[in-house]
Amino acid sequence: KAGVTQTPRYLIKTRGQQVTLSCSPISGHRSVSWYQQTPGQGLQFLFEYFSETQRNKGNFPGRFSGRQFSNSRSEMNVSTLELGDSALYLCASSLDRSAIYEQYFGPGTRLTVT
Amino acid sequence: AQSVTQLDSHVSVSEGTPVLLRCNYSSSYSPSLFWYVQHPNKGLQLLLKYTSAATLVKGINGFEAEFKKSETSFHLTKPSAHMSDAAEYFCVVSEVGSARQLTFGSGTQLTVLP
């Protein structure tokens, strides 16, 4: 079974631009979550989608948004990029929403904002 | 609210000696607990999980962890370290019954000396 895939793997953007990252979950997985990883803040939860609906959101500004499609694939969008948005963005999928189900992570998208 | 404290930011062991990575958690409900490993420039890989079954949990690559409710701990151990174990390790909590959200510890960097 294929793992979680994320595209692109690397991205360089300029301040003020916007960016869209894509995530394809493991086949059959319905929950998709996004995390931001930085050296200073560590791993922080962005949001979770299930059945095309955002179910939970972390403490990030409204510039960060996402969506989920009917095939469970998900995208996240960051508008008006800031230097501090430079990070590794990780997508994780899970069979269902219950906390007993582990999340499987993709390799991440490395975003650099200049 | 849930939180995780990894007591050591860096641990250094010699190859063939035991590994102990310490984790304490705080949770208002019955937690699910996980250990993930991250090798350089890679995504997160699940090592093991606890979900209210057996308190001693065995994972991949010879790792195991023991859930101790009285001490609110979930320490990760391995009897004999291998060079390939060098990586960053994250202790993670997710509350059963709560919204789908993982809370990560700050990570422990494991160095294995030859």
Side-chain angles (χ1 to χ4, degrees):
Chain A
K1 190 181 270 190
V4 178
T5 58
Q6 293 186 246
T7 57
R9 291 291 312 277
Y10 302 91
L11 207 49
I12 299 175
K13 290 286 188 180
T14 304
R15 268 184 306 175
Q17 289 186 314
Q18 75 165 21
V19 67
T20 299
L21 312 181
S22 181
C23 171
S24 293
I26 291 172
S27 178
H29 283 197
R30 301 161 65 194
S31 170
V32 174
S33 299
W34 289 88
Y35 296 86
Q36 182 196 64
Q37 185 176 26
T38 60
Q41 299 297 318
L43 276 148
Q44 294 183 285
F45 171 76
L46 279 158
F47 28 64
E48 183 232 349
Y49 285 87
F50 182 83
S51 293
E52 303 178 60
T53 302
Q54 187 180 93
R55 301 294 177 150
N56 195 16
K57 189 177 186 336
N59 190 25
F60 279 83
R63 300 184 297 107
F64 291 82
S65 63
R67 59 179 175 168
Q68 186 181 34
F69 302 95
S70 58
N71 61 358
S72 293
R73 190 177 70 84
S74 177
E75 291 180 346
M76 68 162 281
N77 183 277
V78 188
S79 63
T80 319
L81 283 166
E82 301 177 0
L83 294 178
D85 297 333
S86 294
L88 180 67
Y89 290 88
L90 292 163
C91 167
S93 77
S94 178
L95 191 63
D96 209 318
R97 296 202 68 229
S98 171
I100 65 172
Y101 293 106
E102 61 269 33
Q103 294 189 0
Y104 293 88
F105 285 80
T109 294
R110 174 77 61 185
L111 172 65
T112 302
V113 182
T114 62
Chain B
Q2 58 194 29
S3 66
V4 175
T5 301
Q6 291 185 243
L7 299 169
D8 307 291
S9 58
H10 291 87
V11 169
S12 186
V13 301
S14 297
E15 191 175 20
T17 64
V19 176
L20 170 63
L21 305 183
R22 299 182 295 165
C23 171
N24 286 349
Y25 71 91
S26 172
S27 173
S28 303
Y29 305 98
S30 299
S32 289
L33 293 158
F34 309 85
W35 276 98
Y36 283 86
V37 61
Q38 187 176 34
H39 289 92
N41 300 314
K42 295 285 180 68
L44 292 152
Q45 181 185 18
L46 179 69
L47 281 177
L48 50 79
K49 69 173 184 178
Y50 165 79
T51 56
S52 74
T55 56
L56 183 62
V57 182
K58 294 188 183 299
I60 62 171
N61 301 334
F63 285 95
E64 63 180 38
E66 186 171 8
F67 173 73
K68 292 187 176 180
K69 186 174 181 178
S70 60
E71 300 176 9
T72 60
S73 69
F74 190 58
H75 301 334
L76 182 70
T77 60
K78 183 174 181 177
S80 177
H82 191 272
M83 296 296 289
S84 61
D85 295 328
E88 188 154 25
Y89 292 79
F90 294 93
C91 182
V92 181
V93 65
S94 180
E95 290 180 337
V96 175
S98 75
R100 189 73 171 116
Q101 176 177 343
L102 300 183
T103 299
F104 286 79
S106 54
T108 298
Q109 183 68 46
L110 176 65
T111 299
V112 181
L113 304 170

